[in-house]
Amino acid sequence: MLIAVCCFAAGYFYAATRAQLRLNDTLPPAWEGRDIQLIGVVASLLQTYERSVRFDLDVERILTPGAFAPSRIALSWWGTPGKDRVRGERPTLPDIKPGERWQLTVRLRRPHGSANPHGFDYEAWLFDRNIRATGTVRPKTGARRMDAMVHKPAYWIEAARERLRARILQALPDQVCAGVLAALAIGDQRAIPPEQWQVFTRTGV
């Protein structure tokens, strides 16, 4: 009986300690909206949009004196505007891949979810992925690729998923099924366009 109680207490305190450490890994209010220079590794598939790319970054080191950033953050990197804006030229997006180590200057904010009880809880979704801050890259203040690949199993997997997704999209250019196939093959649900998600939701697929 005593052994069972001790095991329960040890498990409880371990879980409580882990939970407290995770809750403490948050962006201080004083550093919201301020430039923070740091070094980190691209830790997820890139989500490419018309004017930006989004990705998760594992923070390894903070270079700005006195600054603090959570260990994993979600970033948006906006492309460089095209020279001919009148013709609607698309911006040049950054060339960045999973597993690369970068030195970046970012501006972060703490995530906030929707107050609607029936809506998608963005803050809880980020917390489940251990992302404790979101923000944008400040490319004009200097962005530098330091290593082409950080050799860890998690980054190898993300790099392999990126290559496989690129092959699927290259083999099926402008095909509506390409995003669905990528989602089924590598689990990249965000490859499915929003309009297709609406069809799946309405039809119960």
Side-chain angles (χ1 to χ4, degrees), residues 42-56 74-79 93-94 96-98 122 125 129 131 158 161-162 165 169 179 182-183 186-194 197:
V42 180
S44 70
L45 286 173
L46 274 69
Q47 302 302 318
T48 303
Y49 300 90
E50 183 178 356
R51 300 182 180 276
S52 66
V53 293
R54 297 180 184 177
F55 57 94
D56 298 344
L75 295 174
S76 295
W77 192 336
W78 293 86
L93 300 179
I96 184 170
K97 293 180 175 59
Y122 180 62
W125 181 74
R129 296 172 57 206
I131 296 175
E158 294 302 313
R161 294 176 69 208
E162 178 74 18
R165 182 178 66 176
L169 298 179
I186 62 174
D188 181 22
Q189 296 185 15
R190 288 179 290 182
I192 301 176
W197 272 120

Side-chain angles (χ1 to χ4, degrees), residues 29-70:
W31 283 98
E32 282 194 291
R34 297 174 61 182
D35 286 355
I36 300 175
Q37 191 176 54
L38 49 78
I39 296 173
V41 181
V42 180
S44 70
L45 286 173
L46 274 69
Q47 302 302 318
T48 303
Y49 300 90
E50 183 178 356
R51 300 182 180 276
S52 66
V53 293
R54 297 180 184 177
F55 57 94
D56 298 344
L57 188 82
D58 284 344
V59 178
E60 293 184 319
R61 187 153 57 100
I62 298 173
L63 304 179
T64 302
F68 178 84

Side-chain angles (χ1 to χ4, degrees), residues 79-96:
T80 304
K83 295 181 180 179
D84 193 348
R85 297 187 181 182
V86 176
R87 297 182 180 179
E89 184 178 334
R90 289 190 175 185
T92 302
L93 300 179
D95 181 16
I96 184 170

Side-chain angles (χ1 to χ4, degrees), residues 114-121:
S114 173
N116 184 355
H118 302 290
F120 175 68
D121 194 336

